[in-house]
Amino acid sequence: MRADTTASADDLRSLEAGLDNLQTTTDAGAGRFRTFWSSVLPPVIFVVLLIAAWQLYIVIADPRPDKAPSPADVLGALTYAWDTGRLQEAVLTSLERGILGFVIAIIIGTPIGLLLAEVRPIRRAVGPIISGLQVLPSVAWVPAAIIWFGLTDATAYFVILMGAIPSIVNGLISGVDQVPPQLRRVGTVLGASKWQLATSVILPAALPGYFAGLKQGWAFSWRSLMAAEIITSGGTIGFGLGTMLQQTRDLADLAGVLATIVVILGIGILIELAFFGPIERRMLRGRGLLLSGGTR
Amino acid sequence: MRADTTASADDLRSLEAGLDNLQTTTDAGAGRFRTFWSSVLPPVIFVVLLIAAWQLYIVIADPRPDKAPSPADVLGALTYAWDTGRLQEAVLTSLERGILGFVIAIIIGTPIGLLLAEVRPIRRAVGPIISGLQVLPSVAWVPAAIIWFGLTDATAYFVILMGAIPSIVNGLISGVDQVPPQLRRVGTVLGASKWQLATSVILPAALPGYFAGLKQGWAFSWRSLMAAEIITSGGTIGFGLGTMLQQTRDLADLAGVLATIVVILGIGILIELAFFGPIERRMLRGRGLLLSGGTR
Amino acid sequence: ASSTAEATDQGPAEELRLGYFANVTHAPALVGLQEGLLQDALGDTKLSTEVFNAGPAAIEALSAGAIDATYIGPNPSINTFIQSRGESARIVAGAATGGAALVVRDGITSARDLEGKTLATPQLGNTQDVALRGWLKAQGFQTDTSGGGDVTITPTENAQTFQLFKDGQLDGAWLPEPWVSRLVVDAGAKVLVDEADEWPDGEFPTTVLLVRKEFLDQHPETVSKLLAGHEASVKWIADNAGTAASVINAQIAADTGKPLADAVIARALEHVTYSVDPHADTFSTLVENGVAAGTQKEGSIEGLFDLRLLNAQLATSGGTKISAAGLGEE
Amino acid sequence: MTTARIDSPAPALSTAPAVRIDGVSKRFGAGPVVLDDISLDFAPGEFVCLLGASGCGKSTLLNLIAGLDRPTAGRIETPAEGSAVMFQESALMPWLSARKNVELALRLRGVPRARRRDEALGLLDTVNLADAADKRPHELSGGMRQRVALARALAQDRPVLLMDEPFAALDAITRDLLHEELERVWRTTGRTIVFVTHNVREAARLGQRVVLLGSRPGRVVNEWRIERTEGRRIESPEVAALSVEITDELRKEIRRNAR
Amino acid sequence: MTTARIDSPAPALSTAPAVRIDGVSKRFGAGPVVLDDISLDFAPGEFVCLLGASGCGKSTLLNLIAGLDRPTAGRIETPAEGSAVMFQESALMPWLSARKNVELALRLRGVPRARRRDEALGLLDTVNLADAADKRPHELSGGMRQRVALARALAQDRPVLLMDEPFAALDAITRDLLHEELERVWRTTGRTIVFVTHNVREAARLGQRVVLLGSRPGRVVNEWRIERTEGRRIESPEVAALSVEITDELRKEIRRNAR
Ligand SMILES: Nc1ncnc2c1ncn2[C@@H]1O[C@H](COP(=O)(O)OP(=O)(O)OP(=O)(O)O)[C@@H](O)[C@H]1O
Ligand SMILES: Nc1ncnc2c1ncn2[C@@H]1O[C@H](COP(=O)(O)OP(=O)(O)OP(=O)(O)O)[C@@H](O)[C@H]1O
Ligand SMILES: [Mg+2]
Ligand SMILES: [Mg+2]
């Protein structure tokens, strides 16, 4: 009974190896391809069915085409806009504005967020105002911006900034807040200086929250931009998707309106899927925050 | 040594009572009043300072009043709008529309959300579409809605619904998803029928997520409404805050524009603070999900 | 297209909802309201009105069934007719001709000077927008609807155009009255092209009276009465040249809260002619111009006019029959 | 005491077993076999501890007995009334007070409304929690929460109580107390208890019978029966002796998985 | 073995203590007194277990020694190099692999870049984790994570190692193994270890000296010294005997708080 009481080092090693093997399961991410299909196919089928139902309605009820265009009309409007080059120009203009505005918002929002997250008194005073600004529909800034900047691109950028900056700031703040206090303490115990603590511990730990803020900031940028473009069409403001939407409305061209909505939706989904999605998934997976599988 | 090996029932009772006392600390929520002041005072001071700086700028730089009105001008515009009754009318109209639209969105969104949360195949097919719709700026619906419904209240309601319903649906879905599987299993083990499981376990457990969805849905309602009102001013559409904003802009009355923005911001903060805030805090506190204290 | 079966005559309507702009080119509506001529003609049918700022909004209201008839420019009328394949509305009369011009800032004296400049129009695809695009094309300039080309065309709301022109951000605009006069009188603009010079006889439609097709089918009697009131208004303006300006201005002030300056309205009225003739013969040209400008889908406007009621009206009042130029019923 | 203890080393074959597991195997989808041909009989009133390393399939087996999942092969016979289950996390409804949590179980059992309150308070008193009846789960310590969960399981009034590492997340002091509490409850109610753990001493302290499961696939490796179960404490020398024996066997099993 | 063990019951007064706690009291703000006039000396190379019920102030005392907080009264003397700390949660940086986590400690200690990698791998090998060096924390089991945390604490190369319930969240099998691992590390490195726990048996199994703290306010209630520390296992009879003794004292303390 006493014989193996003191496990030799080797003994311990083999025991630990056995336990480690039992406690870690390496489930291979097999079936990725299948997951892709099983997550992409159903919505595609649903959309196809939806379009079929729509077409059926058009054929059976034969409604006025200016009130209910057929899918083919919408497709026609889309190809027409493409052929005239208007579509490309609108997408490029809007994307350029949206991305540039978003980048400016990041450049402005990040230091503000850091300042607010780390300096208590400033945060107490300014934090609620920033949260309040998030409640304000950024479209409300459009009329003021028009008066200040006229019908120019500056108006669009101003509205984007007012929409995106509060999100980015709040994202960074909540990211820093969610850093487990344990990690800060470990950093301190390991002998990190204030600067090392910030760069080696707090910032990387706050990344998921910050990124969520960026994602939301982008959504707000895009929303605000569309609103601004719709409202401020005219003047020297460039031709974006919102302008196109407004113009197709002016021409009572519902097929064109729906085509533009489809493009706006498509771009939103594309940026989410092709840009933010992979980065976020990689970051979360690297931290084990992403449940494997799942519908989202 | 063997004497107390078998602890008598009484013995156990006193031991457990001692341990329970040691492990539960009843920290009284004292200093609530103090927390209130320390959280309300700093932002108020900050805002007052901001206004003072603004006034100082006006006095020193003396800019064109149509480009930079003084705080007093804005206050004047506010009282003028109040005295003429336009302010009250606009606030009431917008609030009525916002709240009614929001309620309709809840009524439509909740069953859809439940359906999607509980029926896998439907969710697979429809879920991504709903998430996609959340990416689409609801302002993009305004032109289509105007063509369908003209410049009537129906347009405003349609845009509100398109903005709010996806949020509410997604909130409910994520609320149901976040129900710990353990709770479902406990429900099953306790012998709950399918209906009892839904009403006694899943729905109450999903409440926080659902409520978060409602809150976001309201924010979207309000945003969409403002956008719709600004764009669709004219026609038989009632006189709301967005219309007021558009009208003050048409009159190049920047003081009026800023006054309206202040009102929109104020209403947003008020509803958040006076309606959603307390309900959410009560719900979260009842479940121990709210850290006592904290800045938010 | 045939599913909406010919609706039958349901007698006079209880209410007629009429749309118009608070604009000098819509003077028959303004006068008709101010002097009560429209309500007098409609008799028991209640008249309610709605003021619009721009054509699309009026068309949308008409399409959504929120109004039954509206004073509006010819191009939006063409637009809705083509988009709906003839199911939305009919032009039952003309209202105004003339009264549109290209005004520019000092220093621009010929078409050549416009290269690289920025010009405004009230709305993409509206009557003046199409006119400007057509005219620029005739001058050899390239334009497109997304703001590119040799001359930038930026559809901008009229009030905004006035402001931007004063601020020096626009070099000119093709506008209807009274905005031409406002820019000339209040902002120092010069008329470069009067649209009247571009049309044979100098006659081109600026405003017509458009009626929802369903309403026309169901209540021809009411439309008839409306036409009577309309004709009376047009006649009233011709007969009261001295007081017309102040009556029109009174209605504008009632609708927008601000009257026009006397000089502006006086100048504006000089350039607009009011007539019940919609000049149907010019519409084919309008469509061609629209298609060429890229603001108009190709389509047939055959059937756009329904002048039977107007001609019946004219027959009793001794006027001459007006032609639909083969584009509809006479 | 109205206990139904079985002190004989072999279960009394005269009485029908409370739970009969007969050649049960389980695999999830196309994964490896988790449980392989397990046969076990639990006598009525028996306190059985299922012991094994992480991932050996203890929870899977318990879920099969509870009827939360179905075996791939083999049969499981349980009392018609079903069994009560307790999990590692108390899994109390966070929006209900301790009393309401117990009342929920009573309601789902079909106890009429009028009697629920008193019965719930009585059950909470058995676990010495009458004072905390109106507290919400988050106001209770981990040990108190598990006691509420125990009261809730008792409220189901089933002959079999299945427990899946109910005390694993508790601190040692609380755990020792709850061992005594659970033993008391077992002796007074005479339930059949199946208790899953990977704590050898806990198994040796609580069980009348300890079943050791091997890993990959889960198989019954060995079994121990304890004759004198009264008056045990976790420091008792007989518990220590049994622990050493079981530990050695368990470590052999673990080492088998070293590569 | 290059251990610096002290087998005499009283610490050798000839050597200066590694940690000296002198009349230390602590209260947070206006709250009640958490620690009340605590005086303790820990000799170099000593393995001390601090034992006490929940909330008695064990973590508070450890934080004071670690310099993460300051006492309200009294003085604490620690080695100039400071001390390494290990917490209940491993608190590894989730975005860094096991090796990088250890390298972070080396970097913050000032080890030049070139040597970090090898040193980190060496340290991971001491805790038998060389194979898992490139895994991220979430790919490791709880026990493996705590071993990485131990390697990281060793990387700091401080004479004193403070441990706040490092094994409380682990399952029993893993915990037993880590006891052996920790004892091995202690014997080979000769660190002074202060180990906080509320597991009486763990304290009796690991410590050369067990200090029992009372609750509300935290005071030293009693102290035990173990003379023969080699060859102990948690089932050893001497550990059991000591456990019974300490448990009785601890329960007395707990009962004192019954009302
Ligand atoms: N629903 C499931 N789908 C697929 N595999 C599963 C499922 N549930 C459990 N497994 C696998 O079955 C094996 C046994 O799991 P189980 O939870 O029964 O182990 P356990 O003995 O309870 O472990 P622990 O002590 O960690 O609780 C594990 O390898 C696990 O990965
Ligand atoms: N930062 C703090 N502010 C106020 N009170 C605190 C703080 N930290 C600890 N306390 C209080 O001090 C007492 C001791 O806490 P401590 O965490 O040291 O106990 P512990 O012995 O480590 O308990 P456990 O075994 O549960 O970890 C508790 O009553 C706790 O509420
Ligand atoms: Mg398990
Ligand atoms: Mg502690």
Side-chain angles (χ1 to χ4, degrees), chain A residues 228-243:
Chain A
E229 284 186 355
I230 291 178
I231 298 175
T232 59
S233 62
T236 59
I237 202 157
F239 181 79
L241 280 168
T243 331

PDB file of all heavy atoms in Angstrom, chain A residues 228-243:
ATOM      1  N   ALA A 228     -27.912  60.372 -45.093  1.00  0.00           N
ATOM      2  CA  ALA A 228     -27.387  61.664 -45.532  1.00  0.00           C
ATOM      3  C   ALA A 228     -27.489  61.802 -47.049  1.00  0.00           C
ATOM      4  O   ALA A 228     -27.866  62.849 -47.566  1.00  0.00           O
ATOM      5  CB  ALA A 228     -25.925  61.807 -45.084  1.00  0.00           C
ATOM      6  N   GLU A 229     -27.170  60.738 -47.759  1.00  0.00           N
ATOM      7  CA  GLU A 229     -27.216  60.821 -49.218  1.00  0.00           C
ATOM      8  C   GLU A 229     -28.632  61.026 -49.728  1.00  0.00           C
ATOM      9  O   GLU A 229     -28.868  61.757 -50.682  1.00  0.00           O
ATOM     10  CB  GLU A 229     -26.618  59.547 -49.832  1.00  0.00           C
ATOM     11  CG  GLU A 229     -25.099  59.523 -49.751  1.00  0.00           C
ATOM     12  CD  GLU A 229     -24.501  58.334 -50.476  1.00  0.00           C
ATOM     13  OE1 GLU A 229     -25.266  57.480 -50.951  1.00  0.00           O
ATOM     14  OE2 GLU A 229     -23.275  58.262 -50.557  1.00  0.00           O
ATOM     15  N   ILE A 230     -29.574  60.347 -49.080  1.00  0.00           N
ATOM     16  CA  ILE A 230     -30.958  60.501 -49.531  1.00  0.00           C
ATOM     17  C   ILE A 230     -31.420  61.934 -49.312  1.00  0.00           C
ATOM     18  O   ILE A 230     -32.023  62.565 -50.186  1.00  0.00           O
ATOM     19  CB  ILE A 230     -31.881  59.520 -48.782  1.00  0.00           C
ATOM     20  CG1 ILE A 230     -31.579  58.094 -49.211  1.00  0.00           C
ATOM     21  CG2 ILE A 230     -33.338  59.871 -49.049  1.00  0.00           C
ATOM     22  CD1 ILE A 230     -32.407  57.065 -48.478  1.00  0.00           C
ATOM     23  N   ILE A 231     -31.115  62.449 -48.136  1.00  0.00           N
ATOM     24  CA  ILE A 231     -31.648  63.762 -47.788  1.00  0.00           C
ATOM     25  C   ILE A 231     -30.923  64.880 -48.526  1.00  0.00           C
ATOM     26  O   ILE A 231     -31.521  65.863 -48.942  1.00  0.00           O
ATOM     27  CB  ILE A 231     -31.553  63.982 -46.266  1.00  0.00           C
ATOM     28  CG1 ILE A 231     -32.405  62.932 -45.562  1.00  0.00           C
ATOM     29  CG2 ILE A 231     -32.021  65.371 -45.883  1.00  0.00           C
ATOM     30  CD1 ILE A 231     -32.295  62.960 -44.080  1.00  0.00           C
ATOM     31  N   THR A 232     -29.610  64.736 -48.709  1.00  0.00           N
ATOM     32  CA  THR A 232     -28.848  65.853 -49.238  1.00  0.00           C
ATOM     33  C   THR A 232     -28.614  65.754 -50.727  1.00  0.00           C
ATOM     34  O   THR A 232     -27.688  66.364 -51.242  1.00  0.00           O
ATOM     35  CB  THR A 232     -27.477  65.944 -48.562  1.00  0.00           C
ATOM     36  OG1 THR A 232     -26.790  64.723 -48.793  1.00  0.00           O
ATOM     37  CG2 THR A 232     -27.604  66.183 -47.092  1.00  0.00           C
ATOM     38  N   SER A 233     -29.388  64.961 -51.452  1.00  0.00           N
ATOM     39  CA  SER A 233     -29.104  64.896 -52.882  1.00  0.00           C
ATOM     40  C   SER A 233     -29.240  66.293 -53.474  1.00  0.00           C
ATOM     41  O   SER A 233     -30.127  67.058 -53.111  1.00  0.00           O
ATOM     42  CB  SER A 233     -30.037  63.908 -53.564  1.00  0.00           C
ATOM     43  OG  SER A 233     -31.354  64.343 -53.430  1.00  0.00           O
ATOM     44  N   GLY A 234     -28.360  66.619 -54.382  1.00  0.00           N
ATOM     45  CA  GLY A 234     -28.309  67.963 -54.943  1.00  0.00           C
ATOM     46  C   GLY A 234     -27.015  68.640 -54.537  1.00  0.00           C
ATOM     47  O   GLY A 234     -26.168  68.036 -53.895  1.00  0.00           O
ATOM     48  N   GLY A 235     -26.860  69.891 -54.950  1.00  0.00           N
ATOM     49  CA  GLY A 235     -25.626  70.610 -54.628  1.00  0.00           C
ATOM     50  C   GLY A 235     -24.438  69.945 -55.299  1.00  0.00           C
ATOM     51  O   GLY A 235     -24.568  69.305 -56.336  1.00  0.00           O
ATOM     52  N   THR A 236     -23.270  70.062 -54.659  1.00  0.00           N
ATOM     53  CA  THR A 236     -22.075  69.489 -55.277  1.00  0.00           C
ATOM     54  C   THR A 236     -21.777  68.106 -54.724  1.00  0.00           C
ATOM     55  O   THR A 236     -20.697  67.572 -54.922  1.00  0.00           O
ATOM     56  CB  THR A 236     -20.855  70.370 -55.005  1.00  0.00           C
ATOM     57  OG1 THR A 236     -20.702  70.457 -53.576  1.00  0.00           O
ATOM     58  CG2 THR A 236     -21.040  71.739 -55.576  1.00  0.00           C
ATOM     59  N   ILE A 237     -22.744  67.553 -53.987  1.00  0.00           N
ATOM     60  CA  ILE A 237     -22.498  66.260 -53.370  1.00  0.00           C
ATOM     61  C   ILE A 237     -22.436  65.193 -54.450  1.00  0.00           C
ATOM     62  O   ILE A 237     -23.200  65.213 -55.417  1.00  0.00           O
ATOM     63  CB  ILE A 237     -23.590  65.987 -52.333  1.00  0.00           C
ATOM     64  CG1 ILE A 237     -23.109  64.979 -51.320  1.00  0.00           C
ATOM     65  CG2 ILE A 237     -24.882  65.559 -52.976  1.00  0.00           C
ATOM     66  CD1 ILE A 237     -23.863  65.067 -50.023  1.00  0.00           C
ATOM     67  N   GLY A 238     -21.484  64.275 -54.328  1.00  0.00           N
ATOM     68  CA  GLY A 238     -21.274  63.246 -55.345  1.00  0.00           C
ATOM     69  C   GLY A 238     -22.448  62.293 -55.440  1.00  0.00           C
ATOM     70  O   GLY A 238     -23.360  62.302 -54.617  1.00  0.00           O
ATOM     71  N   PHE A 239     -22.405  61.430 -56.454  1.00  0.00           N
ATOM     72  CA  PHE A 239     -23.524  60.547 -56.750  1.00  0.00           C
ATOM     73  C   PHE A 239     -23.328  59.205 -56.055  1.00  0.00           C
ATOM     74  O   PHE A 239     -22.537  58.371 -56.493  1.00  0.00           O
ATOM     75  CB  PHE A 239     -23.612  60.370 -58.265  1.00  0.00           C
ATOM     76  CG  PHE A 239     -24.749  59.506 -58.699  1.00  0.00           C
ATOM     77  CD1 PHE A 239     -26.040  60.014 -58.745  1.00  0.00           C
ATOM     78  CD2 PHE A 239     -24.533  58.191 -59.063  1.00  0.00           C
ATOM     79  CE1 PHE A 239     -27.090  59.214 -59.158  1.00  0.00           C
ATOM     80  CE2 PHE A 239     -25.589  57.395 -59.475  1.00  0.00           C
ATOM     81  CZ  PHE A 239     -26.863  57.900 -59.522  1.00  0.00           C
ATOM     82  N   GLY A 240     -24.029  58.986 -54.932  1.00  0.00           N
ATOM     83  CA  GLY A 240     -23.893  57.723 -54.201  1.00  0.00           C
ATOM     84  C   GLY A 240     -25.163  56.908 -54.287  1.00  0.00           C
ATOM     85  O   GLY A 240     -26.110  57.256 -54.999  1.00  0.00           O
ATOM     86  N   LEU A 241     -25.171  55.804 -53.543  1.00  0.00           N
ATOM     87  CA  LEU A 241     -26.330  54.910 -53.584  1.00  0.00           C
ATOM     88  C   LEU A 241     -27.587  55.598 -53.063  1.00  0.00           C
ATOM     89  O   LEU A 241     -28.679  55.401 -53.579  1.00  0.00           O
ATOM     90  CB  LEU A 241     -26.048  53.656 -52.768  1.00  0.00           C
ATOM     91  CG  LEU A 241     -25.214  52.610 -53.482  1.00  0.00           C
ATOM     92  CD1 LEU A 241     -24.734  51.551 -52.515  1.00  0.00           C
ATOM     93  CD2 LEU A 241     -26.030  51.974 -54.593  1.00  0.00           C
ATOM     94  N   GLY A 242     -27.408  56.424 -52.006  1.00  0.00           N
ATOM     95  CA  GLY A 242     -28.552  57.137 -51.467  1.00  0.00           C
ATOM     96  C   GLY A 242     -29.118  58.095 -52.506  1.00  0.00           C
ATOM     97  O   GLY A 242     -30.334  58.217 -52.673  1.00  0.00           O
ATOM     98  N   THR A 243     -28.216  58.788 -53.214  1.00  0.00           N
ATOM     99  CA  THR A 243     -28.653  59.693 -54.275  1.00  0.00           C
ATOM    100  C   THR A 243     -29.416  58.918 -55.346  1.00  0.00           C
ATOM    101  O   THR A 243     -30.448  59.361 -55.836  1.00  0.00           O
ATOM    102  CB  THR A 243     -27.429  60.347 -54.937  1.00  0.00           C
ATOM    103  OG1 THR A 243     -26.379  60.439 -53.985  1.00  0.00           O
ATOM    104  CG2 THR A 243     -27.767  61.714 -55.462  1.00  0.00           C
TER     105      THR A 243
END
